[in-house]
Amino acid sequence: MVKPQVVMGRVVAPYGVRGWLKVRPFTAAQDTLLTYQQWLLIDLQGVTRVYRLEDGKVHGAYVLAALEGVTTREDAVMLQGMSIAVPRESLPALDPGEVYFADLIGLTVINRENETLGTVTAVQEYGAQPVLHVTSPTEDGKKLAETLIPLVEAYVDAIELAEGRLKVDWQRGD
């Protein structure tokens, strides 16, 4: 059985000539990714490789990291574009009322009129507050429409993980 994992960042480029990686973290604080000693790197085909973090530091909006066995620039180039995940069980426990953004992906979004607005496909931080990306098929069914909903109490009525839904105060077309 595959253990659940949570994507925490992406390798964007090699850094230097000694195999260091330049990583774009998907965490609220860039240094959070450095607290995990085991990184799971996932390629576009879904193949996962396990690496141990040897060293790392925050560099602006990025994390620079050295992984065990990645010792040359060429090694690092081979990892470019891969997602970085950590085992789900390694994440800290949440307080009541808290949720990980990763848990919101895939939830069905329903408004107060009981209309289905779509499915959460991403949660992004844009500064003021996180924003839900809700995707749904268009009327013609040929393309997808995206609605952006701020993840704040004013618009989110309930997050019901067990039921697979998120209830919002949002109108279609807002």
Side-chain angles (χ1 to χ4, degrees):
M1 181 170 129
V2 176
K3 290 186 178 181
Q5 51 199 15
V6 178
V7 174
M8 305 280 282
R10 181 169 317 280
V11 177
V12 295
Y15 183 82
V17 295
R18 295 194 174 139
W20 280 62
L21 305 172
K22 182 177 182 181
V23 173
R24 175 70 182 151
F26 299 156
T27 55
Q30 283 85 351
D31 63 344
T32 301
L33 194 52
L34 298 173
T35 64
Y36 300 96
Q37 293 305 302
Q38 180 181 343
W39 286 13
L40 310 172
L41 270 65
I42 308 163
D43 68 18
L44 295 175
Q45 289 74 39
V47 176
T48 302
R49 299 180 206 160
V50 180
Y51 290 91
R52 189 177 70 74
L53 178 67
E54 286 188 335
D55 197 3
K57 60 185 176 184
V58 174
H59 184 69
Y62 296 93
V63 166
L64 304 179
L67 303 180
E68 184 176 59
V70 181
T71 58
T72 67
R73 183 174 181 81
E74 291 74 23
D75 293 342
V77 166
M78 298 301 294
L79 303 178
Q80 189 169 343
M82 289 189 175
S83 296
I84 300 167
V86 297
R88 174 65 193 221
E89 71 265 6
S90 68
L91 296 175
L94 295 171
D95 291 329
E98 292 183 327
V99 347
Y100 284 113
F101 290 169
D103 294 337
L104 302 177
I105 307 299
L107 294 183
T108 301
V109 179
I110 300 168
N111 68 11
R112 288 181 176 176
E113 288 71 36
N114 211 29
E115 297 175 306
T116 299
L117 301 180
T119 303
V120 178
T121 54
V123 182
Q124 296 288 319
E125 289 272 1
Y126 293 114
Q129 71 270 328
V131 175
L132 298 165
H133 290 247
V134 179
T135 306
S136 63
T138 60
E139 299 270 334
D140 62 12
K142 294 181 183 176
K143 58 184 176 177
L144 297 177
E146 185 173 62
T147 302
L148 303 177
I149 303 174
L151 183 58
V152 294
E153 278 187 50
Y155 300 117
V156 176
D157 292 334
I159 297 172
E160 300 172 341
L161 295 177
E163 293 82 8
R165 66 180 171 236
L166 194 145
K167 294 182 176 178
V168 296
D169 180 12
W170 200 266
Q171 299 302 310
R172 186 177 306 279
D174 278 0

